[in-house]
Amino acid sequence: MIKLLVFDVDGTLSDGKVYYSQSGEEIKSFDTRDGLAISVWNRQMRRASAIITGRESDIVYKRAKELGIEHIFMGCEHKGKVLQELTAQLEMDMSEVACIGDDLNDLSMFKLCAKAYMPQNGAKALKKYAYKILKHSGGNGAVREMIEDVLKLNGDKKLEKYFL
């Protein structure tokens, strides 16, 4: 059973593009359907999730808090090492972890996770390490699709039942 979801940010939770305002402020866009699925996973189902990303961003921290993501790691050069430390802290086995990433800096996580998901527009070199290549692109429903697949693997059929 999957008990921990781990998210990369750029290219998975967002479309992978970084926008800057005239004043130099960083801007990202996030899919609200992805966010709702994450929120249900965290709050209604009371399951754990984490962000492990290579970039530092106040926007990511704010979004994570909105969605109930408890474990936030930014500026990570070796995501696999961070994941190993987190699972040890949570006393979880890697067989209980699913992750999503889109590029080569996610490879160390992919090699550890029981289920490694990749958006359809992820880096081709990562495909051979993915458990599943999703139909949706990063920032456009890939995370929602991943969570729905994890629920099926766990024996749950639909997110809707958590709204009753």
Side-chain angles (χ1 to χ4, degrees), residues 14-118:
S14 78
D15 63 8
K17 296 175 184 171
V18 178
Y19 302 91
Y20 292 99
S21 70
Q22 188 69 18
S23 64
E25 181 183 30
E26 184 179 337
I27 301 166
K28 293 182 187 285
S29 91
F30 300 98
D31 189 295
T32 57
R33 292 162 299 192
D34 288 348
L36 182 59
I38 294 168
S39 183
V40 167
W41 176 268
N42 290 324
R43 294 193 170 111
Q44 274 85 358
M45 298 180 71
R46 298 187 184 345
R47 299 266 169 83
S49 66
I51 284 177
I52 302 178
T53 184
R55 299 188 72 233
E56 301 265 350
S57 172
D58 291 338
I59 296 168
V60 170
Y61 183 79
K62 180 180 179 183
R63 183 66 173 154
K65 289 300 173 190
E66 286 175 351
L67 301 177
I69 299 173
E70 195 173 334
H71 309 284
I72 306 163
F73 304 93
M74 292 192 256
C76 302
E77 288 184 33
H78 193 280
K79 295 180 181 186
K81 183 177 180 184
V82 174
L83 178 58
Q84 287 176 316
E85 291 169 359
L86 176 61
T87 54
Q89 174 192 339
L90 297 175
E91 298 178 352
M92 285 186 183
D93 188 84
M94 287 297 175
S95 66
E96 299 172 307
V97 180
C99 69
I100 185 169
D102 71 311
D103 217 333
L104 293 176
N105 62 338
D106 300 308
L107 183 57
S108 61
M109 286 195 316
F110 270 47
K111 289 181 174 181
L112 296 171
C113 288
K115 305 292 185 216
Y117 293 82
M118 176 181 155

